[in-house]
């Protein structure tokens, strides 16, 4: 067909014959014939298995979401507030004026920070303004900064408050061993901490209201089995751009549904690492802070729960904080949270199974619901089903995905999320598309954590901009960033965008369903993120 070959290779007439064959469409028909032969024998069976696995995971996730929503709704209808479930009374000062403050337990307030020059004043100032007897509170600033300028600024700020009569201690480490867990652990070793009963923890961008201790500590004073009281996060910069609005929707659901449901059923949830008060004796009993994963907060919460301690979430107590408003910062944060949770699951599953202080049902809740479904299945099925399996299925007509798996389940999950965010219901389409893009990174981080791959212990502090956005020009989503090409372009997202465009176009031309509508939209979302047109940046002008 291609001519005769000699010792030097293909003859010129043979090469011309091949070009003529390819240009005439014979080559494409040949490729198509191979695809039609391979597709039903190899591709279709593998895709059917993938569909079955994804549908099973979707059902698992749906059951989990519905059950949490039911618990959350029941709490609202029955008005089962924390004050009704646990004893809470204001701490009353003694009649003797000279000993009045002794009625208040001694509280340590820890503020860990690292090179956070934009926001360090916020948490220090808020901590110093807490309503609590001055002789019954110790503020401890744990500075791991590697920037000498930042260290000098933080030290000066602490000295200014000390000169005003505030009991504040500025502690510096010479290394970052153990990162945040290492800093908190070392902070607990100072002699003045031994006198304290409770420790409140605030990251450097968190600003508690003055009555924070007055509202949290009484729960622990009057209920000896409560180890942690966690407050809800409130976001001061959620309106910066579309990405921060989407983050608020996700985190609001986390607090309003996940944390509330866990606190109300099994008195357990994952500590968020900040805006919470711990009983120091509980921390010591379970072995203190550990740096074996990047989610030292969740690790401590799980170990405390396995020892029979109760964790309490107070949803109407809010602490101001800042969301990461750049894509780079948000990706680093999500990698640390997702990878750390999967890594912790790998390390602690045996410990959970062997625990003697908790019931069988609580073990099931920890292993199956909290870790497996929410930390593994949720990220895996979101990426594989909606970004790979559904787009690929349009190329393989032998495989049909049932409507309930493609439409009903995701719609139900989305609506249950949207109900708890009524003010943001109009943003749900953007939330779906952006979360699907982020699922690629979360799925990767999950696998890294499960298999202890290369960047399993990667710790990058989430960059917060503080007042920087107010001082300079704020550029929201869909504006061209001024950063370099390498910082802005993300090839994995662009590659997926091309794949999705091809699948959508094939479905539009040859398909018997309308999947192309969703696939085109998802392709655009991947492309927008891949080109860096998301989040905020600081204009150089």
């Amino acid at each position: 067909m291609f001519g005769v070959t000699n010792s030097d290779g293909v003859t010129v007439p043979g090469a011309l014959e091949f070009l003529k064959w390819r240009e005439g469409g014979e080559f494409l028909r040949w490729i198509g014939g191979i695809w039609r032969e391979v597709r039903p024998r190899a591709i279709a069976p593998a895709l059917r298995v993938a569909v079955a696995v994804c549908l099973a995971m979707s059902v698992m996730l749906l059951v989990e979401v519905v059950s949490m929503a039911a618990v959350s709704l029941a709490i609202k209808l029955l008005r089962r507030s924390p004050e009704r479930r646990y004893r809470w009374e204001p701490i009353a000062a003694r009649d003797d004026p000279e000993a009045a403050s002794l009625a208040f337990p001694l509280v340590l307030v820890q503020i860990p920070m690292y090179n956070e020059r934009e926001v360090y004043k916020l948490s220090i100032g808020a901590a110093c303004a807490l309503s609590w007897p001055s002789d019954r509170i110790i503020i401890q600033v744990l500075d791991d900064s590697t920037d000498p300028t930042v260290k000098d600024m933080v030290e000066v700020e602490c000295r200014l408050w000390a000169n005003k009569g505030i009991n504040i201690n500025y502690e510096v480490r010479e290394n970052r061993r153990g990162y945040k867990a290492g800093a908190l652990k070392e902070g607990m070793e100072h002699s003045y901490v031994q006198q304290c009963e409770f420790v409140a923890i605030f990251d450097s961008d968190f600003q508690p209201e003055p009555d924070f201790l007055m509202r949290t500590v009484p729960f622990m004073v009057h209920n000896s089995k409560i180890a942690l009281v966690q407050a809800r996060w409130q976001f001061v910069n959620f309106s910066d751009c579309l990405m921060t609005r989407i983050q608020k929707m996700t985190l609001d659901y986390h607090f309003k549904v996940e944390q509330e449901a866990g606190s109300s059923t099994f008195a357990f949830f994952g500590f968020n690492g900040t805006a919470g008060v711990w009983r120091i004796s509980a921390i010591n009993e379970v072995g203190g802070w550990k740096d074996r994963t990047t989610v030292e907060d969740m690790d401590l919460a799980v170990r405390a729960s396995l020892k029979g301690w109760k964790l309490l979430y107070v949803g109407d107590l809010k602490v101001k904080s800042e969301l990461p408003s750049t894509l780079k910062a948000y990706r680093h944060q999500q990698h640390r949270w997702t990878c750390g949770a999967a890594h912790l699951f790998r390390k602690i599953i045996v410990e959970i199974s062997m625990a003697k202080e908790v019931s069988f049902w609580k073990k099931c809740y920890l292993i199956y619901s909290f870790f497996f479904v929410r930390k593994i299945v949720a990220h895996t099925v979101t990426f594989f089903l909606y970004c790979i399996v559904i787009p690929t299925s349009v190329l393989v007509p032998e495989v049909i995905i049932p409507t309930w798996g493609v439409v009903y389940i995701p719609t139900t999950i989305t609506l249950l999320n949207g109900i708890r965010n009524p003010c943001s219901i109009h943003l749900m389409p953007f939330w779906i598309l952006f979360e699907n893009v982020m699922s690629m990174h979360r799925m990767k981080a999950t696998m890294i954590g499960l298999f202890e791959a290369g960047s399993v212990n990667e710790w990058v502090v989430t960059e917060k901009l503080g007042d920087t956005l107010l001082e300079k020009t704020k550029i929201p989503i869909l504006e061209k960033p001024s950063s370099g090409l390498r910082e802005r372009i993300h090839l994995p997202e662009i590659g997926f965008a091309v794949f999705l465009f091809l699948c959508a176009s094939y479905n539009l031309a040859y398909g018997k369903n309308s999947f192309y509508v969703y696939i085109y939209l998802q392709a655009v979302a991947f492309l927008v993120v891949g080109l860096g047109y998301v989040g905020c940046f600081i204009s150089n002008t």
Side-chain angles (χ1 to χ4, degrees):
M1 182 176 181
F2 299 123
V4 180
T5 59
N6 54 27
S7 59
D8 295 327
V10 180
T11 62
V12 173
L16 293 175
E17 184 74 17
F18 172 75
L19 291 174
K20 181 179 179 182
W21 174 69
R22 186 179 67 178
E23 292 175 358
E26 294 294 330
F27 178 72
L28 294 177
R29 283 191 286 272
W30 177 66
I31 293 296
I34 294 178
W35 173 249
R36 285 189 292 272
E37 288 292 324
V38 173
R39 188 180 67 202
R41 298 180 182 180
I43 305 299
L47 189 57
R48 288 193 186 97
V49 172
V51 169
V53 172
C54 287
L55 291 178
M57 289 192 293
S58 295
V59 172
M60 294 165 65
L61 184 59
L62 175 66
V63 171
E64 184 67 18
V65 170
V66 171
S67 63
M68 289 191 297
V71 172
S72 180
L73 179 61
I75 293 170
K76 294 297 181 184
L77 294 178
L78 299 176
R79 298 182 179 180
R80 296 289 293 168
S81 65
E83 290 80 5
R84 295 186 64 180
R85 300 199 312 271
Y86 295 93
R87 182 185 172 192
W88 187 96
E89 296 175 4
I91 298 177
R94 298 180 181 179
D95 295 333
D96 183 0
E98 295 183 359
S101 66
L102 295 180
F104 293 81
L106 191 58
V107 176
L108 175 71
V109 177
Q110 287 185 319
I111 307 175
M113 57 180 56
Y114 174 75
N115 290 347
E116 291 153 313
R117 67 171 64 228
E118 291 84 6
V119 295
Y120 71 94
K121 288 186 178 182
L122 299 177
S123 57
I124 295 177
C128 293
L130 287 170
S131 299
W132 202 254
S134 59
D135 60 333
R136 308 302 293 170
I137 185 172
I138 301 174
I139 298 174
Q140 184 186 66
V141 178
L142 305 170
D143 193 358
D144 276 5
S145 299
T146 55
D147 186 339
T149 304
V150 175
K151 282 190 174 183
D152 291 342
M153 292 191 300
V154 176
E155 184 176 9
V156 168
E157 183 70 13
C158 292
R159 192 180 300 119
L160 289 173
W161 284 107
N163 292 336
K164 296 178 182 179
I166 301 297
N167 188 356
I168 185 169
N169 296 268
Y170 177 64
E171 309 292 353
V172 179
R173 290 202 304 165
E174 299 302 324
N175 59 73
R176 291 196 69 211
R177 187 178 300 113
Y179 301 107
K180 183 178 178 180
L184 294 172
K185 181 178 181 180
E186 189 169 312
M188 298 294 291
E189 295 172 355
H190 293 280
S191 58
Y192 55 82
V193 176
Q194 310 309 315
Q195 314 166 50
C196 300
E197 294 183 52
F198 308 107
V199 54
I201 303 172
F202 301 103
D203 284 349
S204 58
D205 61 304
F206 278 72
Q207 308 166 59
E209 295 296 327
D211 65 345
F212 179 87
L213 294 180
M214 291 293 188
R215 296 184 61 184
T216 54
V217 174
F219 281 112
M220 313 183 85
V221 170
H222 300 304
N223 302 272
S224 61
K225 292 305 294 180
I226 293 181
L228 165 70
V229 177
Q230 170 75 61
R232 179 179 157 193
W233 297 359
Q234 186 178 32
F235 312 107
V236 299
N237 68 325
F238 74 92
S239 61
D240 280 354
C241 61
L242 182 57
M243 190 184 76
T244 51
R245 288 185 173 93
I246 290 173
Q247 288 180 66
K248 180 181 183 297
M249 294 168 62
T250 301
L251 288 171
D252 278 350
Y253 176 83
H254 167 70
F255 282 105
K256 293 179 181 180
V257 178
E258 293 181 350
Q259 300 289 74
E260 195 171 71
S263 175
S264 302
T265 52
F266 291 96
F268 169 81
F269 50 86
F271 174 44
N272 297 112
T274 179
V277 183
W278 275 93
R279 189 184 299 272
I280 293 180
S281 60
I283 296 178
N284 294 334
E285 181 184 340
V286 301
W289 295 99
K290 293 186 178 181
D291 60 1
R292 55 181 175 176
T293 70
T294 57
V295 286
E296 73 295 323
D297 42 12
M298 185 184 296
D299 188 350
L300 181 62
V302 174
R303 286 185 283 118
S305 184
L306 295 181
K307 287 294 184 179
W309 289 98
K310 295 182 179 181
L311 313 183
L312 176 63
Y313 166 71
V314 183
D316 61 350
L317 177 58
K318 303 175 184 179
V319 178
K320 295 178 182 178
S321 64
E322 182 181 338
L323 292 164
S325 53
T326 64
L327 180 62
K328 180 180 178 180
Y330 184 57
R331 288 176 63 173
H332 282 310
Q333 181 198 69
Q334 293 302 298
H335 175 86
R336 186 175 75 248
W337 288 359
T338 308
C339 177
H343 192 207
L344 178 61
F345 180 51
R346 172 193 173 105
K347 287 184 172 295
I348 209 168
I349 184 172
V350 175
E351 190 175 336
I352 296 174
S353 303
M354 302 298 291
K356 298 179 180 180
E357 288 85 353
V358 295
S359 67
F360 169 78
W361 294 111
K362 189 166 186 176
K363 292 179 184 179
C364 292
Y365 173 77
L366 286 170
I367 293 175
Y368 176 78
S369 296
F370 182 77
F371 275 111
F372 184 65
V373 177
R374 299 185 209 170
K375 312 302 181 186
I376 309 297
V377 169
H379 305 314
T380 304
V381 70
T382 302
F383 176 67
F384 278 107
L385 178 58
Y386 303 115
C387 300
I388 294 182
V389 171
I390 292 178
T392 303
S393 68
V394 305
L395 306 175
V396 186
E398 292 85 358
V399 176
I400 299 176
I401 305 177
T403 304
W404 59 265
V406 180
V407 178
Y408 299 152
I409 287 182
T411 300
T412 302
I413 293 175
T414 301
L415 290 177
L416 289 176
N417 188 296
I419 289 174
R420 297 312 302 267
N421 294 277
C423 295
S424 302
I425 196 73
H426 61 290
L427 297 176
M428 291 307 295
F430 299 100
W431 177 81
I432 294 170
L433 296 173
F434 183 71
E435 285 295 296
N436 286 351
V437 175
M438 289 303 301
S439 71
M440 180 174 68
H441 301 285
R442 294 190 182 111
M443 186 277 302
K444 178 183 175 182
T446 299
M447 296 301 109
I448 290 174
L450 282 177
F451 298 104
E452 289 190 323
S455 59
V456 65
N457 289 317
E458 178 186 79
W459 182 284
V460 178
V461 175
T462 305
E463 179 185 14
K464 302 295 176 63
L465 300 178
D467 293 333
T468 305
L469 287 178
L470 300 177
E471 297 168 358
K472 298 185 179 181
T473 304
K474 179 172 63 178
I475 309 298
I477 190 171
L478 298 182
E479 292 287 345
K480 185 176 180 180
S482 59
S483 56
L485 188 65
R486 186 176 180 181
E487 286 280 328
R488 181 161 58 89
I489 299 299
H490 307 288
L491 294 180
E493 285 87 346
I494 295 177
F496 252 93
V498 173
F499 163 71
L500 293 172
F501 271 119
L502 292 175
C503 291
S505 299
Y506 184 90
N507 182 243
L508 178 62
Y510 304 106
K512 298 180 180 180
N513 53 48
S514 301
F515 285 176
Y516 63 86
V517 175
Y518 157 74
I519 300 175
Y520 270 133
L521 290 173
Q522 193 62 68
V524 171
F526 268 96
L527 186 62
V528 168
V529 176
L531 295 177
Y533 290 94
V534 66
C536 295
F537 75 97
I538 304 302
S539 173
N540 292 330
T541 59

